[in-house]
Short mmCIF file of all heavy atoms in Angstrom, two decimals:
data_model
loop_
_atom_site.label_atom_id
_atom_site.label_comp_id
_atom_site.label_asym_id
_atom_site.label_seq_id
_atom_site.Cartn_x
_atom_site.Cartn_y
_atom_site.Cartn_z
N MET P 11 16.39 14.03 3.03
CA MET P 11 15.92 12.98 2.13
C MET P 11 15.47 11.78 2.96
O MET P 11 16.02 11.51 4.01
CB MET P 11 17.01 12.55 1.16
CG MET P 11 16.45 11.54 0.18
SD MET P 11 17.53 10.65 -0.95
CE MET P 11 18.75 11.75 -1.47
N LEU P 12 14.47 11.08 2.45
CA LEU P 12 13.98 9.89 3.12
C LEU P 12 15.06 8.81 3.16
O LEU P 12 15.93 8.75 2.30
CB LEU P 12 12.78 9.32 2.38
CG LEU P 12 11.49 10.13 2.35
CD1 LEU P 12 10.44 9.40 1.53
CD2 LEU P 12 10.97 10.40 3.73
N LYS P 13 14.97 7.96 4.16
CA LYS P 13 15.82 6.77 4.23
C LYS P 13 14.97 5.57 3.80
O LYS P 13 13.74 5.64 3.77
CB LYS P 13 16.33 6.57 5.66
CG LYS P 13 17.23 7.69 6.12
CD LYS P 13 17.69 7.46 7.53
CE LYS P 13 18.62 8.62 7.92
NZ LYS P 13 19.03 8.53 9.30
N CYS P 14 15.64 4.47 3.52
CA CYS P 14 14.93 3.27 3.07
C CYS P 14 13.86 2.85 4.07
O CYS P 14 12.76 2.45 3.67
CB CYS P 14 15.91 2.14 2.84
SG CYS P 14 17.07 2.45 1.49
N ILE P 15 14.13 2.97 5.34
CA ILE P 15 13.16 2.57 6.35
C ILE P 15 11.91 3.46 6.28
O ILE P 15 10.80 3.01 6.55
CB ILE P 15 13.79 2.55 7.76
CG1 ILE P 15 12.86 1.81 8.70
CG2 ILE P 15 14.09 3.95 8.25
CD1 ILE P 15 13.52 1.27 9.92
N ASP P 16 12.09 4.72 5.88
CA ASP P 16 10.95 5.61 5.71
C ASP P 16 10.09 5.15 4.53
O ASP P 16 8.86 5.23 4.58
CB ASP P 16 11.41 7.05 5.47
CG ASP P 16 12.26 7.58 6.61
OD1 ASP P 16 11.93 7.29 7.78
OD2 ASP P 16 13.25 8.29 6.33
N VAL P 17 10.74 4.69 3.48
CA VAL P 17 10.01 4.21 2.30
C VAL P 17 9.20 2.97 2.66
O VAL P 17 8.06 2.82 2.22
CB VAL P 17 10.99 3.92 1.13
CG1 VAL P 17 10.26 3.29 -0.04
CG2 VAL P 17 11.69 5.20 0.72
N LEU P 18 9.77 2.11 3.49
CA LEU P 18 9.02 0.93 3.94
C LEU P 18 7.73 1.35 4.64
O LEU P 18 6.67 0.76 4.43
CB LEU P 18 9.86 0.08 4.89
CG LEU P 18 11.02 -0.68 4.27
CD1 LEU P 18 11.84 -1.37 5.36
CD2 LEU P 18 10.53 -1.69 3.26
N ALA P 19 7.81 2.38 5.47
CA ALA P 19 6.64 2.83 6.22
C ALA P 19 5.61 3.50 5.32
O ALA P 19 4.41 3.43 5.58
CB ALA P 19 7.08 3.79 7.33
N LEU P 20 6.06 4.15 4.25
CA LEU P 20 5.15 4.89 3.37
C LEU P 20 4.68 4.08 2.17
O LEU P 20 3.85 4.55 1.40
CB LEU P 20 5.86 6.15 2.85
CG LEU P 20 6.14 7.24 3.87
CD1 LEU P 20 7.03 8.32 3.26
CD2 LEU P 20 4.84 7.84 4.37
N GLY P 21 5.19 2.86 2.02
CA GLY P 21 4.90 2.07 0.82
C GLY P 21 3.42 1.88 0.54
O GLY P 21 2.96 2.11 -0.58
N SER P 22 2.67 1.49 1.55
CA SER P 22 1.24 1.25 1.33
C SER P 22 0.51 2.53 0.97
O SER P 22 -0.34 2.53 0.08
CB SER P 22 0.61 0.65 2.59
OG SER P 22 1.11 -0.64 2.80
N ALA P 23 0.86 3.62 1.63
CA ALA P 23 0.22 4.90 1.31
C ALA P 23 0.54 5.31 -0.12
O ALA P 23 -0.31 5.86 -0.83
CB ALA P 23 0.69 5.98 2.29
N TYR P 24 1.75 5.00 -0.58
CA TYR P 24 2.15 5.34 -1.95
C TYR P 24 1.30 4.59 -2.96
O TYR P 24 0.74 5.18 -3.88
CB TYR P 24 3.63 5.03 -2.16
CG TYR P 24 4.10 5.30 -3.57
CD1 TYR P 24 4.28 6.59 -4.02
CD2 TYR P 24 4.36 4.24 -4.44
CE1 TYR P 24 4.70 6.84 -5.33
CE2 TYR P 24 4.78 4.48 -5.73
CZ TYR P 24 4.95 5.78 -6.17
OH TYR P 24 5.35 6.01 -7.46
N VAL P 25 1.20 3.29 -2.82
CA VAL P 25 0.45 2.51 -3.81
C VAL P 25 -1.06 2.77 -3.71
O VAL P 25 -1.79 2.57 -4.67
CB VAL P 25 0.74 1.00 -3.74
CG1 VAL P 25 2.19 0.71 -4.07
CG2 VAL P 25 0.36 0.41 -2.41
N ASP P 26 -1.52 3.22 -2.53
CA ASP P 26 -2.95 3.55 -2.37
C ASP P 26 -3.24 4.98 -2.79
O ASP P 26 -4.41 5.39 -2.77
CB ASP P 26 -3.38 3.35 -0.92
CG ASP P 26 -3.41 1.88 -0.52
OD1 ASP P 26 -3.47 1.02 -1.43
OD2 ASP P 26 -3.38 1.58 0.69
N GLY P 27 -2.21 5.75 -3.13
CA GLY P 27 -2.42 7.14 -3.51
C GLY P 27 -2.85 8.01 -2.34
O GLY P 27 -3.57 8.99 -2.52
N ALA P 28 -2.41 7.64 -1.14
CA ALA P 28 -2.84 8.34 0.07
C ALA P 28 -1.72 9.16 0.68
O ALA P 28 -1.63 9.28 1.90
CB ALA P 28 -3.37 7.32 1.08
N MET P 29 -0.86 9.73 -0.14
CA MET P 29 0.25 10.54 0.38
C MET P 29 0.00 12.01 0.10
O MET P 29 -0.71 12.35 -0.85
CB MET P 29 1.56 10.13 -0.30
CG MET P 29 1.95 8.70 -0.08
SD MET P 29 3.47 8.30 -0.97
CE MET P 29 4.65 9.09 0.10
N THR P 30 0.60 12.86 0.90
CA THR P 30 0.55 14.29 0.61
C THR P 30 1.50 14.56 -0.56
O THR P 30 2.41 13.76 -0.82
CB THR P 30 1.01 15.11 1.83
OG1 THR P 30 2.39 14.84 2.07
CG2 THR P 30 0.18 14.77 3.08
N PRO P 31 1.32 15.67 -1.25
CA PRO P 31 2.25 16.00 -2.35
C PRO P 31 3.70 16.07 -1.87
O PRO P 31 4.60 15.62 -2.58
CB PRO P 31 1.74 17.36 -2.84
CG PRO P 31 0.27 17.34 -2.51
CD PRO P 31 0.18 16.59 -1.20
N ALA P 32 3.94 16.60 -0.67
CA ALA P 32 5.31 16.69 -0.16
C ALA P 32 5.90 15.31 0.09
O ALA P 32 7.07 15.05 -0.22
CB ALA P 32 5.32 17.52 1.13
N GLU P 33 5.08 14.39 0.65
CA GLU P 33 5.56 13.03 0.89
C GLU P 33 5.87 12.35 -0.44
O GLU P 33 6.87 11.65 -0.57
CB GLU P 33 4.49 12.21 1.63
CG GLU P 33 4.32 12.58 3.08
CD GLU P 33 3.15 11.87 3.74
OE1 GLU P 33 2.15 11.55 3.04
OE2 GLU P 33 3.22 11.66 4.95
N ARG P 34 5.01 12.56 -1.42
CA ARG P 34 5.20 11.93 -2.74
C ARG P 34 6.50 12.44 -3.38
O ARG P 34 7.27 11.66 -3.93
CB ARG P 34 4.00 12.22 -3.64
CG ARG P 34 4.08 11.53 -5.00
CD ARG P 34 2.81 11.73 -5.80
NE ARG P 34 1.65 11.20 -5.10
CZ ARG P 34 1.29 9.92 -5.11
NH1 ARG P 34 1.99 9.05 -5.78
NH2 ARG P 34 0.24 9.52 -4.45
N ARG P 35 6.75 13.73 -3.28
CA ARG P 35 7.99 14.29 -3.84
C ARG P 35 9.21 13.70 -3.15
O ARG P 35 10.19 13.31 -3.81
CB ARG P 35 8.01 15.82 -3.69
CG ARG P 35 7.25 16.56 -4.78
CD ARG P 35 7.55 18.05 -4.75
NE ARG P 35 7.19 18.66 -3.47
CZ ARG P 35 5.98 19.13 -3.17
NH1 ARG P 35 5.01 19.06 -4.06
NH2 ARG P 35 5.74 19.67 -2.00
N SER P 36 9.16 13.59 -1.83
CA SER P 36 10.29 13.03 -1.08
C SER P 36 10.53 11.58 -1.46
O SER P 36 11.66 11.14 -1.63
CB SER P 36 10.02 13.13 0.43
OG SER P 36 9.96 14.46 0.83
N LEU P 37 9.44 10.83 -1.60
CA LEU P 37 9.57 9.42 -1.95
C LEU P 37 10.14 9.26 -3.36
O LEU P 37 11.03 8.44 -3.58
CB LEU P 37 8.20 8.74 -1.86
CG LEU P 37 8.27 7.23 -1.96
CD1 LEU P 37 8.19 6.61 -0.59
CD2 LEU P 37 7.17 6.70 -2.83
N ARG P 38 9.65 10.07 -4.29
CA ARG P 38 10.16 9.96 -5.66
C ARG P 38 11.63 10.35 -5.75
O ARG P 38 12.40 9.76 -6.52
CB ARG P 38 9.31 10.82 -6.60
CG ARG P 38 7.95 10.18 -6.84
CD ARG P 38 7.15 10.94 -7.84
NE ARG P 38 5.94 10.19 -8.16
CZ ARG P 38 4.92 10.70 -8.78
NH1 ARG P 38 4.93 11.94 -9.19
NH2 ARG P 38 3.85 9.95 -9.04
N LEU P 39 12.04 11.34 -4.96
CA LEU P 39 13.45 11.72 -4.93
C LEU P 39 14.30 10.56 -4.44
O LEU P 39 15.35 10.25 -5.02
CB LEU P 39 13.63 12.95 -4.03
CG LEU P 39 15.05 13.48 -3.90
CD1 LEU P 39 15.56 13.94 -5.27
CD2 LEU P 39 15.10 14.63 -2.91
N HIS P 40 13.84 9.89 -3.40
CA HIS P 40 14.57 8.73 -2.89
C HIS P 40 14.63 7.63 -3.94
O HIS P 40 15.68 7.00 -4.13
CB HIS P 40 13.91 8.20 -1.61
CG HIS P 40 14.63 7.02 -1.02
ND1 HIS P 40 15.67 7.15 -0.13
CD2 HIS P 40 14.48 5.68 -1.24
CE1 HIS P 40 16.12 5.94 0.19
NE2 HIS P 40 15.40 5.03 -0.47
N MET P 41 13.55 7.41 -4.64
CA MET P 41 13.51 6.35 -5.65
C MET P 41 14.47 6.62 -6.80
O MET P 41 14.94 5.69 -7.45
CB MET P 41 12.08 6.17 -6.18
CG MET P 41 11.18 5.51 -5.15
SD MET P 41 9.45 5.51 -5.62
CE MET P 41 9.47 4.60 -7.14
N LEU P 42 14.77 7.88 -7.05
CA LEU P 42 15.73 8.20 -8.11
C LEU P 42 17.12 7.66 -7.80
O LEU P 42 17.88 7.32 -8.71
CB LEU P 42 15.81 9.72 -8.32
CG LEU P 42 14.64 10.37 -9.03
CD1 LEU P 42 14.80 11.89 -9.02
CD2 LEU P 42 14.53 9.85 -10.45
N VAL P 43 17.44 7.59 -6.52
CA VAL P 43 18.80 7.19 -6.13
C VAL P 43 18.87 5.80 -5.50
O VAL P 43 19.95 5.32 -5.20
CB VAL P 43 19.42 8.22 -5.16
CG1 VAL P 43 19.55 9.57 -5.85
CG2 VAL P 43 18.61 8.34 -3.89
N CYS P 44 17.73 5.14 -5.28
CA CYS P 44 17.76 3.86 -4.57
C CYS P 44 17.01 2.78 -5.37
O CYS P 44 15.79 2.74 -5.37
CB CYS P 44 17.14 4.02 -3.17
SG CYS P 44 17.19 2.50 -2.21
N ARG P 45 17.77 1.92 -5.99
CA ARG P 45 17.14 0.87 -6.80
C ARG P 45 16.42 -0.17 -5.94
O ARG P 45 15.48 -0.81 -6.38
CB ARG P 45 18.16 0.20 -7.71
CG ARG P 45 19.23 -0.56 -7.00
CD ARG P 45 20.25 -1.12 -8.00
NE ARG P 45 21.41 -1.66 -7.33
CZ ARG P 45 21.54 -2.95 -7.01
NH1 ARG P 45 20.63 -3.80 -7.35
NH2 ARG P 45 22.62 -3.37 -6.39
N HIS P 46 16.86 -0.33 -4.71
CA HIS P 46 16.22 -1.29 -3.81
C HIS P 46 14.78 -0.86 -3.52
O HIS P 46 13.86 -1.68 -3.55
CB HIS P 46 17.00 -1.44 -2.51
CG HIS P 46 18.43 -1.85 -2.73
ND1 HIS P 46 18.77 -3.07 -3.24
CD2 HIS P 46 19.58 -1.18 -2.54
CE1 HIS P 46 20.09 -3.15 -3.35
NE2 HIS P 46 20.60 -2.01 -2.93
N CYS P 47 14.59 0.41 -3.24
CA CYS P 47 13.24 0.89 -2.95
C CYS P 47 12.39 0.93 -4.21
O CYS P 47 11.18 0.73 -4.13
CB CYS P 47 13.30 2.26 -2.27
SG CYS P 47 13.84 2.13 -0.55
N ARG P 48 13.01 1.18 -5.36
CA ARG P 48 12.24 1.10 -6.62
C ARG P 48 11.70 -0.31 -6.80
O ARG P 48 10.54 -0.51 -7.14
CB ARG P 48 13.12 1.48 -7.82
CG ARG P 48 13.37 2.95 -7.96
CD ARG P 48 13.89 3.31 -9.34
NE ARG P 48 15.12 2.61 -9.71
CZ ARG P 48 16.35 3.08 -9.48
NH1 ARG P 48 16.52 4.25 -8.88
NH2 ARG P 48 17.41 2.42 -9.85
N LYS P 49 12.54 -1.31 -6.55
CA LYS P 49 12.10 -2.71 -6.66
C LYS P 49 11.01 -3.02 -5.63
O LYS P 49 10.03 -3.69 -5.93
CB LYS P 49 13.28 -3.67 -6.45
CG LYS P 49 14.19 -3.80 -7.64
CD LYS P 49 15.26 -4.84 -7.35
CE LYS P 49 16.09 -5.11 -8.58
NZ LYS P 49 17.09 -6.16 -8.34
N TYR P 50 11.19 -2.53 -4.41
CA TYR P 50 10.22 -2.77 -3.34
C TYR P 50 8.85 -2.19 -3.72
O TYR P 50 7.82 -2.87 -3.62
CB TYR P 50 10.72 -2.16 -2.03
CG TYR P 50 9.65 -2.02 -0.98
CD1 TYR P 50 9.11 -3.14 -0.36
CD2 TYR P 50 9.17 -0.76 -0.63
CE1 TYR P 50 8.11 -3.02 0.59
CE2 TYR P 50 8.17 -0.62 0.32
CZ TYR P 50 7.64 -1.75 0.92
OH TYR P 50 6.65 -1.62 1.85
N LEU P 51 8.85 -0.95 -4.17
CA LEU P 51 7.57 -0.31 -4.48
C LEU P 51 6.92 -0.92 -5.72
O LEU P 51 5.70 -1.03 -5.80
CB LEU P 51 7.75 1.20 -4.65
CG LEU P 51 8.06 1.93 -3.35
CD1 LEU P 51 8.37 3.40 -3.61
CD2 LEU P 51 6.90 1.82 -2.37
N ARG P 52 7.72 -1.35 -6.66
CA ARG P 52 7.17 -2.03 -7.85
C ARG P 52 6.51 -3.35 -7.43
O ARG P 52 5.42 -3.68 -7.88
CB ARG P 52 8.28 -2.28 -8.88
CG ARG P 52 7.81 -2.96 -10.12
CD ARG P 52 6.90 -2.06 -10.93
NE ARG P 52 6.40 -2.79 -12.09
CZ ARG P 52 5.17 -2.71 -12.54
NH1 ARG P 52 4.31 -1.89 -11.98
NH2 ARG P 52 4.78 -3.39 -13.59
N ALA P 53 7.18 -4.09 -6.55
CA ALA P 53 6.60 -5.35 -6.06
C ALA P 53 5.31 -5.09 -5.29
O ALA P 53 4.34 -5.84 -5.41
CB ALA P 53 7.61 -6.08 -5.18
N LEU P 54 5.30 -4.02 -4.51
CA LEU P 54 4.09 -3.67 -3.75
C LEU P 54 2.94 -3.31 -4.69
O LEU P 54 1.79 -3.72 -4.48
CB LEU P 54 4.42 -2.50 -2.82
CG LEU P 54 3.61 -2.33 -1.56
CD1 LEU P 54 3.64 -3.57 -0.69
CD2 LEU P 54 4.13 -1.13 -0.76
N GLN P 55 3.25 -2.57 -5.75
CA GLN P 55 2.22 -2.21 -6.73
C GLN P 55 1.68 -3.46 -7.43
O GLN P 55 0.47 -3.59 -7.64
CB GLN P 55 2.79 -1.25 -7.77
CG GLN P 55 3.01 0.14 -7.22
CD GLN P 55 3.75 1.04 -8.20
OE1 GLN P 55 4.63 0.60 -8.92
NE2 GLN P 55 3.39 2.32 -8.20
N LEU P 56 2.56 -4.38 -7.80
CA LEU P 56 2.13 -5.61 -8.44
C LEU P 56 1.28 -6.45 -7.51
O LEU P 56 0.27 -7.05 -7.92
CB LEU P 56 3.33 -6.41 -8.94
CG LEU P 56 4.06 -5.82 -10.14
CD1 LEU P 56 5.34 -6.62 -10.43
CD2 LEU P 56 3.16 -5.83 -11.37
N THR P 57 1.67 -6.52 -6.25
CA THR P 57 0.89 -7.28 -5.27
C THR P 57 -0.50 -6.68 -5.11
O THR P 57 -1.51 -7.40 -5.11
CB THR P 57 1.62 -7.28 -3.90
OG1 THR P 57 2.90 -7.86 -4.08
CG2 THR P 57 0.83 -8.04 -2.86
N ARG P 58 -0.57 -5.36 -5.00
CA ARG P 58 -1.86 -4.69 -4.85
C ARG P 58 -2.74 -4.95 -6.07
O ARG P 58 -3.93 -5.25 -5.94
CB ARG P 58 -1.66 -3.20 -4.65
CG ARG P 58 -2.93 -2.44 -4.36
CD ARG P 58 -2.62 -0.96 -4.20
NE ARG P 58 -3.75 -0.23 -3.69
CZ ARG P 58 -4.76 0.17 -4.44
NH1 ARG P 58 -4.79 -0.09 -5.71
NH2 ARG P 58 -5.76 0.84 -3.90
N ALA P 59 -2.16 -4.84 -7.26
CA ALA P 59 -2.93 -5.05 -8.48
C ALA P 59 -3.42 -6.49 -8.58
O ALA P 59 -4.56 -6.74 -8.99
CB ALA P 59 -2.07 -4.69 -9.70
N THR P 60 -2.59 -7.43 -8.17
CA THR P 60 -2.98 -8.84 -8.21
C THR P 60 -4.12 -9.11 -7.25
O THR P 60 -5.10 -9.78 -7.60
CB THR P 60 -1.77 -9.73 -7.87
OG1 THR P 60 -0.73 -9.48 -8.81
CG2 THR P 60 -2.15 -11.20 -7.90
N ILE P 61 -4.02 -8.59 -6.04
CA ILE P 61 -5.08 -8.80 -5.06
C ILE P 61 -6.38 -8.17 -5.53
O ILE P 61 -7.46 -8.76 -5.40
CB ILE P 61 -4.64 -8.25 -3.68
CG1 ILE P 61 -3.55 -9.14 -3.11
CG2 ILE P 61 -5.83 -8.16 -2.73
CD1 ILE P 61 -2.88 -8.57 -1.87
N ALA P 62 -6.30 -6.99 -6.12
CA ALA P 62 -7.52 -6.32 -6.62
C ALA P 62 -8.15 -7.14 -7.73
O ALA P 62 -9.37 -7.24 -7.83
CB ALA P 62 -7.17 -4.93 -7.11
N HIS P 63 -7.32 -7.76 -8.55
CA HIS P 63 -7.82 -8.57 -9.66
C HIS P 63 -8.50 -9.84 -9.16
O HIS P 63 -9.47 -10.32 -9.76
CB HIS P 63 -6.67 -8.94 -10.60
CG HIS P 63 -7.07 -9.75 -11.77
ND1 HIS P 63 -7.79 -9.23 -12.83
CD2 HIS P 63 -6.89 -11.05 -12.05
CE1 HIS P 63 -8.03 -10.18 -13.70
NE2 HIS P 63 -7.49 -11.30 -13.27
N LEU P 64 -8.01 -10.38 -8.05
CA LEU P 64 -8.54 -11.62 -7.52
C LEU P 64 -9.75 -11.42 -6.61
O LEU P 64 -10.41 -12.38 -6.24
CB LEU P 64 -7.46 -12.36 -6.73
CG LEU P 64 -6.25 -12.83 -7.53
CD1 LEU P 64 -5.20 -13.43 -6.60
CD2 LEU P 64 -6.67 -13.82 -8.59
N SER P 65 -10.03 -10.16 -6.26
CA SER P 65 -11.14 -9.89 -5.34
C SER P 65 -12.46 -10.35 -5.94
O SER P 65 -12.72 -10.19 -7.12
CB SER P 65 -11.21 -8.40 -5.03
OG SER P 65 -10.07 -8.02 -4.32
N VAL P 66 -13.30 -10.90 -5.08
CA VAL P 66 -14.63 -11.36 -5.50
C VAL P 66 -15.66 -10.46 -4.82
O VAL P 66 -15.59 -10.23 -3.61
CB VAL P 66 -14.83 -12.83 -5.06
CG1 VAL P 66 -16.23 -13.30 -5.38
CG2 VAL P 66 -13.78 -13.72 -5.68
N PRO P 67 -16.62 -9.95 -5.57
CA PRO P 67 -17.64 -9.11 -4.95
C PRO P 67 -18.44 -9.91 -3.92
O PRO P 67 -18.75 -11.08 -4.12
CB PRO P 67 -18.53 -8.70 -6.11
CG PRO P 67 -17.81 -9.07 -7.34
CD PRO P 67 -16.80 -10.10 -6.99
N VAL P 68 -18.76 -9.27 -2.80
CA VAL P 68 -19.52 -9.91 -1.73
C VAL P 68 -20.78 -9.09 -1.48
O VAL P 68 -20.73 -7.86 -1.41
CB VAL P 68 -18.67 -9.99 -0.44
CG1 VAL P 68 -19.48 -10.60 0.70
CG2 VAL P 68 -17.41 -10.79 -0.69
N ALA P 69 -21.91 -9.78 -1.34
CA ALA P 69 -23.18 -9.10 -1.09
C ALA P 69 -23.16 -8.43 0.28
O ALA P 69 -22.56 -8.96 1.23
CB ALA P 69 -24.33 -10.10 -1.17
N GLU P 70 -23.81 -7.29 0.38
CA GLU P 70 -23.88 -6.55 1.65
C GLU P 70 -24.45 -7.41 2.76
O GLU P 70 -23.99 -7.36 3.91
CB GLU P 70 -24.73 -5.29 1.46
CG GLU P 70 -24.79 -4.39 2.67
CD GLU P 70 -23.45 -3.73 3.00
OE1 GLU P 70 -22.64 -3.52 2.07
OE2 GLU P 70 -23.19 -3.46 4.17
N GLN P 71 -25.44 -8.25 2.44
CA GLN P 71 -26.06 -9.13 3.44
C GLN P 71 -25.03 -10.10 4.01
O GLN P 71 -25.02 -10.38 5.21
CB GLN P 71 -27.23 -9.89 2.81
CG GLN P 71 -27.95 -10.79 3.79
CD GLN P 71 -29.09 -11.56 3.11
OE1 GLN P 71 -29.27 -11.47 1.91
NE2 GLN P 71 -29.83 -12.31 3.90
N THR P 72 -24.16 -10.61 3.16
CA THR P 72 -23.12 -11.53 3.62
C THR P 72 -22.17 -10.82 4.56
O THR P 72 -21.76 -11.38 5.60
CB THR P 72 -22.35 -12.11 2.41
OG1 THR P 72 -23.28 -12.74 1.53
CG2 THR P 72 -21.29 -13.10 2.85
N VAL P 73 -21.81 -9.61 4.25
CA VAL P 73 -20.91 -8.83 5.12
C VAL P 73 -21.56 -8.65 6.49
O VAL P 73 -20.91 -8.84 7.53
CB VAL P 73 -20.59 -7.46 4.48
CG1 VAL P 73 -19.81 -6.58 5.46
CG2 VAL P 73 -19.81 -7.64 3.19
N GLU P 74 -22.85 -8.30 6.49
CA GLU P 74 -23.56 -8.11 7.76
C GLU P 74 -23.61 -9.41 8.57
O GLU P 74 -23.45 -9.39 9.79
CB GLU P 74 -24.98 -7.59 7.51
CG GLU P 74 -25.02 -6.20 6.92
CD GLU P 74 -24.37 -5.15 7.81
OE1 GLU P 74 -24.47 -5.28 9.04
OE2 GLU P 74 -23.74 -4.23 7.27
N GLN P 75 -23.83 -10.54 7.91
CA GLN P 75 -23.87 -11.83 8.61
C GLN P 75 -22.52 -12.15 9.25
O GLN P 75 -22.46 -12.61 10.39
CB GLN P 75 -24.26 -12.95 7.64
CG GLN P 75 -25.72 -12.91 7.23
CD GLN P 75 -26.04 -13.92 6.13
OE1 GLN P 75 -25.16 -14.36 5.42
NE2 GLN P 75 -27.32 -14.25 6.00
N VAL P 76 -21.45 -11.90 8.52
CA VAL P 76 -20.12 -12.18 9.05
C VAL P 76 -19.82 -11.26 10.23
O VAL P 76 -19.34 -11.69 11.28
CB VAL P 76 -19.04 -12.03 7.95
CG1 VAL P 76 -17.63 -12.07 8.55
CG2 VAL P 76 -19.21 -13.11 6.89
N LEU P 77 -20.14 -9.98 10.07
CA LEU P 77 -19.87 -9.03 11.14
C LEU P 77 -20.68 -9.34 12.40
O LEU P 77 -20.20 -9.19 13.51
CB LEU P 77 -20.17 -7.59 10.67
CG LEU P 77 -19.19 -7.04 9.63
CD1 LEU P 77 -19.64 -5.66 9.16
CD2 LEU P 77 -17.77 -6.98 10.16
N SER P 78 -21.91 -9.78 12.22
CA SER P 78 -22.75 -10.09 13.39
C SER P 78 -22.28 -11.35 14.12
O SER P 78 -22.59 -11.55 15.28
CB SER P 78 -24.21 -10.22 12.97
OG SER P 78 -24.39 -11.36 12.18
N ALA P 79 -21.52 -12.22 13.43
CA ALA P 79 -21.03 -13.44 14.05
C ALA P 79 -19.76 -13.20 14.88
O ALA P 79 -19.37 -14.06 15.66
CB ALA P 79 -20.74 -14.49 12.97
N ILE P 80 -19.17 -12.03 14.73
CA ILE P 80 -17.94 -11.73 15.50
C ILE P 80 -18.33 -11.28 16.89
O ILE P 80 -19.11 -10.33 17.05
CB ILE P 80 -17.12 -10.62 14.78
CG1 ILE P 80 -16.70 -11.11 13.39
CG2 ILE P 80 -15.90 -10.24 15.62
CD1 ILE P 80 -16.05 -10.05 12.54
N PRO P 81 -17.83 -11.95 17.94
CA PRO P 81 -18.17 -11.55 19.30
C PRO P 81 -17.61 -10.18 19.63
O PRO P 81 -16.55 -9.80 19.14
CB PRO P 81 -17.55 -12.64 20.18
CG PRO P 81 -16.52 -13.27 19.33
CD PRO P 81 -16.90 -13.07 17.90
N PRO P 82 -18.34 -9.43 20.47
CA PRO P 82 -17.83 -8.10 20.84
C PRO P 82 -16.57 -8.22 21.69
O PRO P 82 -16.38 -9.20 22.41
CB PRO P 82 -18.99 -7.50 21.66
CG PRO P 82 -19.79 -8.68 22.10
CD PRO P 82 -19.60 -9.76 21.09
N THR P 83 -15.71 -7.24 21.58
CA THR P 83 -14.49 -7.21 22.37
C THR P 83 -14.69 -6.31 23.57
O THR P 83 -15.54 -5.44 23.57
CB THR P 83 -13.30 -6.71 21.55
OG1 THR P 83 -13.59 -5.41 21.08
CG2 THR P 83 -13.03 -7.64 20.38
N GLU P 84 -13.90 -6.52 24.60
CA GLU P 84 -14.02 -5.67 25.80
C GLU P 84 -12.80 -4.82 25.96
O GLU P 84 -11.77 -5.08 25.50
CB GLU P 84 -14.23 -6.53 27.03
CG GLU P 84 -15.57 -7.24 26.98
CD GLU P 84 -15.82 -8.04 28.25
OE1 GLU P 84 -15.35 -7.63 29.32
OE2 GLU P 84 -16.49 -9.08 28.16
ZN1 ZN V 127 15.88 3.07 -0.41
#
């Protein structure tokens, strides 16, 4: 069974729907017995939903201008 620290590492993948079926089953099993991780994942879902709601569409041209202003790294 997953440990709480494993849930911390998988949290973003869970709320993004980017987990394998086996990972999702393991995470849900842990959530059945751990109220702390249930609270953590619920807060993560709420945070993600809030950020998505606050997002402002940006024109492709603006993205290109910002990216071109970033100096190359070595
Ligand atoms: Zn836990």
Side-chain angles (χ1 to χ4, degrees):
M11 184 189 322
L12 293 179
K13 296 179 179 176
C14 295
I15 194 158
D16 301 321
V17 174
L18 289 174
L20 291 171
S22 292
Y24 178 73
V25 296
D26 290 341
M29 299 178 76
T30 66
E33 287 173 330
R34 184 174 300 278
R35 277 192 300 274
S36 295
L37 191 100
R38 287 185 173 166
L39 180 62
H40 181 88
M41 288 171 60
L42 286 174
V43 297
C44 182
R45 65 183 170 95
H46 303 294
C47 286
R48 284 196 303 269
K49 283 184 173 182
Y50 164 70
L51 290 174
R52 180 68 183 140
L54 206 56
Q55 288 172 324
L56 289 173
T57 301
R58 185 181 190 279
T60 301
I61 290 170
H63 181 73
L64 296 175
S65 294
V66 176
V68 177
E70 184 68 28
Q71 182 182 4
T72 304
V73 173
E74 294 300 325
Q75 288 173 338
V76 170
L77 290 176
S78 68
I80 299 173
T83 59
E84 293 183 32

